[in-house]
Amino acid sequence: MDHSRAERALPARLDRARILSHLASQRIGSALEILEEIPSTNTALMARAPEHTEHGLVVAAEYQSEGKGRQGRRWFAPPRANLLFSVVLRTTHTQAGLATLVGACSLIEELQRLGVPARLKWPNDVVARVESDQAIRNGKKIGGILCETRAEPAGGGRLVLGIGLNVNLDEAEFPEELRPLATSVSILLGHPVDRSLLLAHILGRMDQTWNDLEAHGGDRLIRKARALCDTLGHLIEVQLGQGALEGVAEDLDSCGRLVLRLESGARRLLEIGEIRQTRRMD
Ligand code: BTN
């Protein structure tokens, strides 16, 4: 096989020097590893010894052979097209729900700055709703977050926040079954974007948001997440294990849980769940 031709056919690699030179971050991303291929950046960081997982360490991959989505699903991404990265967050008290919101809000705010109409579908999906596409009532998925946690022998905890974002991917490059459900930054903007710059900006926002959370608590984060969340105000059906619950998504509580008002008037607090949005209430 002619490897040089195959190499040339691939898009540009993530550029570590470019990322670091645009990184406005005290900690997140200042230790940065970029790998050409790995089974999963999340799995790698969860498996590492504590002394090799300092707060803010980021591992990004150009390709994952066993990329993980939520609920045991695979995360699809061809080589060098998307952003696939995981961040180590060290904390004594922050819950996975709030950490997921740090990732989601940072991603969404940066996408909105670029002109992508990104919104949060609670708890961990980033979706983009294109008004002209009436068939896609709940928006198409553009990114997702997978938070894994682990208690450390020395106390405290390790959170690994894995983020997958569809960046420079044409419609034809998605597997057929995902085409009606997924989209990418380049599809929505009509041109490819510089992945290195995008990663630097997302990491900078995460750093700021995380520091704010640790220093001042979650109020500001929750207010931001409410404003970015498409789920609130909808009558929704939530898949919970084998069963399902229907109700109105009323609010996010101070831990990032969804407040669901059931038909009976009772309220349920949900930490996780697979949402099938039904319709807006107003
Ligand atoms: C979801 O199901 O929406 C979450 C997807 C998370 C995918 C990212 S890609 C980088 C990191 N490594 C993984 O194996 N998964 C996460």
Side-chain angles (χ1 to χ4, degrees):
M1 179 180 165
D2 181 348
H3 286 285
S4 58
R5 275 186 54 199
E7 273 287 293
R8 274 202 305 275
L10 283 172
R13 286 194 168 98
L14 283 168
D15 181 338
R16 189 169 180 280
R18 185 165 168 72
I19 297 167
L20 292 177
S21 71
H22 285 86
L23 189 66
S25 168
Q26 291 163 346
R27 293 182 299 174
I28 292 182
S30 47
L32 171 65
E33 297 172 20
I34 301 176
L35 306 169
E36 194 61 30
E37 181 173 341
I38 192 172
S40 151
T41 54
N42 260 44
T43 305
L45 283 178
M46 287 298 283
R48 274 196 197 176
E51 61 272 25
H52 296 128
T53 55
E54 74 267 28
H55 176 82
L57 169 66
V58 173
V59 172
E62 294 289 19
Y63 179 71
Q64 296 183 126
S65 52
E66 292 165 33
K68 295 191 293 189
R70 279 203 322 143
Q71 304 195 323
R73 296 196 195 102
R74 290 292 291 272
W75 185 255
F76 158 81
R80 296 195 202 165
N82 293 346
L83 286 179
L84 308 164
F85 63 99
S86 300
V87 183
V88 176
L89 299 167
R90 291 211 159 268
T91 177
T92 46
H93 58 276
T94 300
Q95 306 92 333
L98 289 181
T100 300
L101 290 182
V102 169
C105 290
S106 306
L107 211 56
I108 292 168
E109 287 186 322
E110 184 55 24
L111 290 173
Q112 289 188 350
R113 190 189 69 82
L114 290 176
V116 173
R119 304 277 295 161
L120 170 66
K121 182 178 165 201
W122 184 90
N124 76 322
D125 285 347
V126 178
V127 297
R129 179 128 43 98
V130 183
E131 293 307 332
S132 59
D133 199 346
Q134 292 300 327
I136 311 299
R137 201 174 32 183
N138 297 327
K140 288 184 168 185
K141 184 153 170 169
I142 191 166
I145 293 150
L146 178 67
C147 185
E148 297 185 79
T149 55
R150 166 181 165 154
E152 300 285 20
R158 179 190 314 180
L159 291 172
V160 172
L161 202 62
I163 297 189
L165 176 67
N166 300 334
V167 185
N168 294 326
L169 215 52
D170 293 339
E171 202 147 320
E173 291 173 283
F174 283 101
E176 217 170 307
E177 67 278 11
L178 290 183
R179 271 176 224 163
L181 307 172
T183 190
S184 73
V185 176
S186 64
I187 291 172
L188 292 167
L189 294 182
H191 58 80
V193 300
D194 180 332
R195 291 183 304 138
S196 300
L197 214 51
L198 181 55
L199 179 56
H201 290 159
I202 293 167
L203 295 177
R205 284 182 189 275
M206 282 180 69
D207 193 63
Q208 232 177 22
T209 313
W210 180 263
N211 292 345
D212 188 73
L213 170 67
E214 292 276 271
H216 306 293
D219 288 0
R220 209 161 12 197
L221 174 64
I222 294 295
R223 275 202 301 278
K224 198 187 277 190
R226 282 185 187 124
L228 297 175
C229 185
D230 245 8
T231 311
L232 301 181
H234 281 80
L235 178 63
I236 61 174
E237 191 183 289
V238 191
Q239 205 69 44
L240 290 170
Q242 296 305 310
L245 272 182
E246 200 181 83
V248 177
E250 256 187 2
D251 199 7
L252 299 177
D253 80 352
S254 59
C255 303
R257 293 175 297 195
L258 188 73
V259 182
L260 186 73
R261 185 163 48 78
L262 308 177
E263 213 188 342
S264 65
R267 287 187 170 80
R268 286 279 299 267
L269 286 177
L270 305 180
E271 269 173 45
I272 49 158
E274 189 77 8
I275 288 189
R276 272 187 271 145
Q277 237 148 264
T278 42
R279 63 183 169 82
R280 273 205 73 81
M281 294 304 289
D282 50 25

